[in-house]
Amino acid sequence: ISPNTVVAACVEAFKVLPTAEERAEVVAFQCNLLRKSLPNADNGALQQVVSGSKDADFAYTLACYMADNGLLDFTNWLSERTNNVGKAAVTLQSIVFLTRTYNKAKLRSTAQGDGDSVKLVLSWENLASMLRMLTMVDNETMSQVIPNTDTTLGSQGKIILERCLQMYPNIATLTNSSSSNNANSPPNQPDEIEEAANAYFQKIYASEESAREVVEMLK
């Protein structure tokens, strides 16, 4: 069986599963299968497959699993995917993936068992990487209208940012495993959340803050 056939079969098996939890579970099995099936899988071949996959949900779910288990650097993967499919596409795909999964995010340390791999729909670490990536998207890209809608990437990005801030007010800290105790802490007041989100995107559009400074704003 050719590697391409194995990849295609994995994507099809992934797509029939209805929930994010089931998909995250099957991706863990598929990752091990692909590592055995692809020549030089652990020397970049598997990462190239994930970076170029046409099915964004499969690509992001598998990349998240691999990052959570030390098989790739998620920030670098986002850059590679941007090179493969384009900045606007990755921006939209990241927003869509976060919209579907942000409310299931947990720290990696909370899912680490004795010898078992980390199996999460979305880790805080990967969530933070995607948010940081979005802070570096230029104004021209953010102003693009999403196909078949009348809304822009920037406006949808603002919505997901507000939701993440409400659910995880400490998302940017990620200092240690004790942060997990704050994962369900009460959000800030709605007016404060809206004000922070508005300021965040105004800063990005005006290019007044570096990515590091914007991350500090999320604390």
Side-chain angles (χ1 to χ4, degrees):
I1 301 177
S2 73
N4 288 339
T5 300
V6 176
V7 172
C10 286
V11 173
E12 290 305 311
F14 172 88
K15 289 166 65 175
V16 300
L17 296 173
T19 69
E21 289 82 0
E22 289 175 305
R23 290 182 169 193
E25 187 70 28
V26 78
V27 153
F29 169 79
Q30 291 177 336
C31 182
N32 290 329
L33 177 64
L34 290 170
R35 290 178 70 190
K36 295 177 182 178
S37 303
L38 295 175
N40 301 313
D42 291 334
N43 292 321
L46 179 53
Q47 184 163 334
Q48 290 177 4
V49 168
V50 184
S51 298
S53 174
K54 294 181 179 179
D55 190 291
D57 200 19
F58 173 77
Y60 273 74
T61 304
L62 181 53
C64 283
Y65 171 80
M66 291 176 67
D68 288 338
N69 289 279
L71 299 174
L72 61 72
D73 181 291
F74 195 73
T75 299
N76 289 343
W77 178 81
L78 287 170
S79 296
E80 289 182 11
R81 187 157 181 85
T82 298
N83 292 334
N84 283 327
V85 304
K87 187 184 297 183
V90 167
T91 300
L92 177 58
Q93 290 169 5
S94 297
I95 291 171
V96 170
F97 185 77
L98 286 176
T99 299
R100 293 174 179 169
T101 62
Y102 79 95
N103 61 342
K104 305 179 188 298
K106 299 178 181 178
L107 277 170
R108 286 174 186 162
S109 59
T110 65
Q112 290 175 338
D114 296 332
D116 293 330
S117 61
V118 176
K119 299 176 185 178
L120 292 172
V121 171
L122 179 65
S123 66
W124 268 34
E125 291 85 351
N126 291 336
L127 169 60
S129 292
M130 278 185 271
L131 291 178
R132 289 173 184 136
M133 182 275 292
L134 291 175
T135 70
M136 293 183 281
V137 178
D138 59 271
N139 182 45
E140 182 179 356
T141 301
M142 280 297 198
S143 65
Q144 292 186 28
V145 176
I146 298 172
N148 302 316
T149 74
D150 57 357
T151 189
T152 64
L153 289 171
S155 62
Q156 288 302 113
K158 177 174 174 289
I159 290 171
I160 191 60
L161 171 68
E162 289 175 333
R163 292 176 179 175
C164 290
L165 283 172
Q166 287 177 326
M167 182 161 283
Y168 312 113
N170 299 318
I171 184 62
T173 57
L174 292 177
T175 53
N176 50 51
S177 60
S178 64
S179 297
S180 63
N181 295 328
N182 298 323
N184 297 314
S185 59
N188 298 323
Q189 294 300 314
D191 289 345
E192 295 175 353
I193 294 294
E194 182 175 0
E195 182 179 352
N198 285 331
Y200 169 87
F201 274 90
Q202 287 170 4
K203 294 290 188 182
I204 294 171
Y205 292 155
S207 299
E208 294 177 0
E209 296 286 343
S210 67
R212 184 184 300 277
E213 290 169 330
V214 173
V215 170
E216 288 297 318
M217 290 172 61
L218 289 173
K219 291 185 179 181

